[in-house]
Amino acid sequence: MIQPLPGEIWELNTISIPSCHHQAPRYVMIITEPEEVVLPTVSVMLLSEETNFLSEIDILIPSYISGLQKDLLAETWLVFPMFVCDLRHPTGARLSYQIYETLLNIGDSHHYLTELPCSHHIQSLGLQQGSQTLVNNDILKGFHTSEQSKINKFKAPALCNNQHSIMQMAEQVLNQAVQTEQDLIDTTRHNIIEFIPNTLTPITLSHWLQNIHSPEWQIPTQTQKLAVATRSVNHREYTISTIDEISTLIKQLSLLKDESQKRSIAKRLSEIGKDNQNVKQALIKLLQTTQDDETLWTVVESLWQIDPGNSAVAVRRVKLIDLGIQLAGEGIALAIALIPKINNRFGILLQVYPTGREIYLPPQLKLALLETTGKVLKKVTAQLADFFIQIKFSGELGEAFSVKICIGEAETTENFII
């Protein structure tokens, strides 16, 4: 069986390459190792030959790095699952761990999951970054839209003749989607104070800390995948063992003053520190001592990844949202996390994400934070290939606010008191 490795560059089967006005991408970079389902899959990042679209997030990989005869454009923002059978063969050189991780971080920054790596670091690896951004750049937006539209063809198992296996895999995916949605709908009666919901009565979030909540707000049954791509821990990529790396990172965490460096270490520990008690203790200590909101939520998300049941982590509940319309047959959910801070203040995280078979939110879906007067305080809009959208803010005990979710003319509003 083919076993693609993270960072490898593969050529697509010619049957999978769609015809279009632009010259089609012929290469992909492997992001994750295969998952053993009925048909093995990997996550991939497109590498395009259309290097004239160099931008802040479309990064040029020179030919001397890739080992190919031409420069390639890494579309760091576009990562999606693909059947291994649609890959032809490895070609060129395997990218170094530093380049591999940097490209993923650039993609994550586009999805607001991390900060954009500095230009000096990108250039030091031999990569080239452009100055173009998506803001007010219709040509670049058109390129991104065109590339996004290609992935449906890339997802099809074009070389697989085993229709029974395909049907089995489709049934498995559908069953998982149905189960996930059912888990959100089902209400657990244990330790819940029941009452008749009143849409006019705001929900008191601080009650959640005592496990007091209405039945429609449930504890998530599984950890939400917040990262664009999963970094596989591969000991061949490190010069020191994972245990030594964890020890070094924890020691650095206790000495550093720079918050951005603390966030980077917290993210790395979440990738390699599952079931490691020292990692949990170090992250909890940082959670309890940091005064920086971005660091606070980075640590919370890291702990969700490695120890979602830890009592020190922010309380989080989720509710299915009914906009009164069919979003292409898919549902969405609103998740709210609450974490106590000092002086009766709280950090609050609002997230909206899909619950059905689709992995992306519908474009133009909006999430807004409102004052009780209806004034918009913050707003975010889902773009193409957004796994979720979110808003982070802080508030005082007893402070009221509203959350509005809308797409087109369909909308819903939830009212809260901290």
Side-chain angles (χ1 to χ4, degrees):
M1 179 182 294
I2 298 175
Q3 296 288 336
L5 296 172
E8 284 188 332
I9 298 176
W10 282 62
E11 187 173 2
L12 295 175
N13 280 302
T14 54
I15 192 171
S16 297
I17 301 176
S19 59
C20 60
H21 297 298
H22 297 298
Q23 187 177 10
R26 297 179 57 233
Y27 306 99
V28 295
M29 184 182 84
I30 305 300
I31 303 300
T32 57
E33 296 181 357
E35 298 177 3
E36 290 298 330
V37 292
V38 178
L39 291 177
T41 62
V42 288
S43 292
V44 300
M45 176 187 296
L46 282 183
L47 303 181
S48 173
E49 298 174 0
E50 300 176 276
T51 55
N52 54 310
F53 290 102
L54 184 68
S55 76
E56 187 179 34
I57 55 174
D58 298 282
I59 306 300
L60 184 73
I61 305 177
S63 58
Y64 74 86
I65 290 179
S66 68
L68 301 173
Q69 295 180 352
K70 60 188 73 178
D71 297 340
L72 295 175
L73 196 70
E75 299 172 17
T76 67
W77 53 277
L78 184 54
V79 174
F80 59 93
M82 175 182 284
F83 294 120
V84 171
C85 60
D86 275 343
L87 300 175
R88 186 175 182 182
H89 56 71
T91 183
R94 186 180 179 197
L95 298 181
S96 70
Y97 172 76
Q98 290 78 12
I99 291 177
Y100 168 77
E101 189 77 3
T102 298
L103 291 174
L104 292 180
N105 285 335
I106 293 171
D108 283 353
S109 70
H110 174 68
H111 296 284
Y112 307 106
L113 299 175
T114 186
E115 296 178 353
L116 184 68
C118 68
S119 299
H120 176 73
H121 172 70
I122 295 173
Q123 294 172 1
S124 69
L125 297 174
L127 304 174
Q128 296 182 29
Q129 182 183 34
S131 58
Q132 293 188 89
T133 65
L134 281 177
V135 179
N136 299 323
N137 191 320
D138 293 335
I139 295 178
L140 190 57
K141 287 180 181 177
F143 171 65
H144 281 208
T145 300
S146 173
E147 296 300 276
Q148 179 68 41
S149 67
K150 295 174 184 176
I151 68 173
N152 288 333
K153 294 185 179 181
F154 290 151
K155 289 179 180 179
L159 297 184
C160 181
N161 297 320
N162 189 340
Q163 295 183 0
H164 177 67
S165 295
I166 297 173
M167 293 177 63
Q168 279 186 317
M169 186 194 65
E171 183 179 4
Q172 182 183 34
V173 171
L174 286 172
N175 288 340
Q176 289 176 347
V178 170
Q179 184 61 48
T180 299
E181 191 159 355
Q182 189 61 44
D183 287 344
L184 288 168
I185 295 173
D186 289 343
T187 58
T188 304
R189 299 300 180 182
H190 181 61
N191 287 336
I192 296 179
I193 296 180
E194 297 186 32
F195 61 94
I196 298 174
N198 183 348
T199 56
L200 299 179
T201 303
I203 296 168
T204 304
L205 294 181
S206 57
H207 286 175
W208 290 1
L209 299 172
Q210 288 80 45
N211 202 27
I212 301 173
H213 61 94
S214 55
E216 68 267 25
W217 287 94
Q218 292 297 299
I219 299 174
T221 57
Q222 59 186 18
T223 302
Q224 164 115 10
K225 290 186 178 179
L226 300 181
V228 173
T230 301
R231 278 75 156 167
S232 300
V233 177
N234 189 329
H235 292 282
R236 291 170 295 181
E237 298 292 345
Y238 307 122
T239 57
I240 57 176
S241 70
T242 301
I243 294 177
D244 287 342
E245 182 182 2
I246 288 174
S247 177
T248 301
L249 291 175
I250 291 176
K251 185 179 297 183
Q252 291 176 350
L253 197 60
S254 64
L255 298 175
L256 287 172
K257 300 297 183 182
D258 184 86
E259 294 294 332
S260 64
Q261 291 178 321
K262 291 181 182 179
R263 293 194 287 272
S264 296
I265 290 178
K267 291 175 184 177
R268 180 59 183 156
L269 287 174
S270 72
E271 295 165 3
I272 63 176
K274 186 175 178 60
D275 298 325
N276 186 298
Q277 292 301 320
N278 291 334
V279 169
K280 295 176 186 178
Q281 292 172 9
L283 291 176
I284 291 172
K285 181 178 179 181
L286 180 57
L287 182 68
Q288 295 170 341
T289 56
T290 184
Q291 299 299 315
D292 183 87
D293 281 352
E294 284 300 315
T295 302
L296 181 81
W297 284 112
T298 299
V299 177
V300 167
E301 290 170 358
S302 296
L303 281 167
W304 279 342
Q305 295 297 318
I306 65 175
D307 191 18
N310 195 301
S311 59
V313 183
V315 61
R316 179 174 52 165
R317 298 199 179 277
V318 64
K319 176 184 178 181
L320 285 176
I321 297 299
D322 182 11
L323 289 175
I325 60 173
Q326 291 293 322
L327 295 174
E330 305 301 333
I332 60 173
L334 170 64
I336 299 183
L338 177 78
I339 184 167
K341 301 168 69 176
I342 60 174
N343 299 327
N344 282 330
R345 291 188 63 81
F346 294 82
I348 297 173
L349 172 66
L350 311 174
Q351 283 183 344
V352 173
Y353 57 88
T355 62
R357 295 185 299 275
E358 290 294 328
I359 62 175
Y360 301 125
L361 284 171
Q364 300 307 309
L365 181 76
K366 294 178 174 61
L367 169 66
L369 171 66
L370 312 176
E371 287 184 343
T372 53
T373 61
K375 178 183 178 181
V376 177
L377 298 175
K378 293 183 179 181
K379 182 172 68 174
V380 61
T381 303
Q383 306 298 322
L384 287 173
D386 273 348
F387 294 96
F388 66 96
I389 52 178
Q390 66 180 21
I391 293 175
K392 300 173 183 176
F393 65 101
S394 296
E396 296 180 351
L397 185 66
E399 186 176 343
F401 66 92
S402 298
V403 177
K404 182 178 180 180
I405 302 171
C406 61
I407 184 170
E409 297 182 355
E411 63 179 52
T412 186
T413 302
E414 299 279 344
N415 301 316
F416 302 92
I417 291 179
I418 299 176

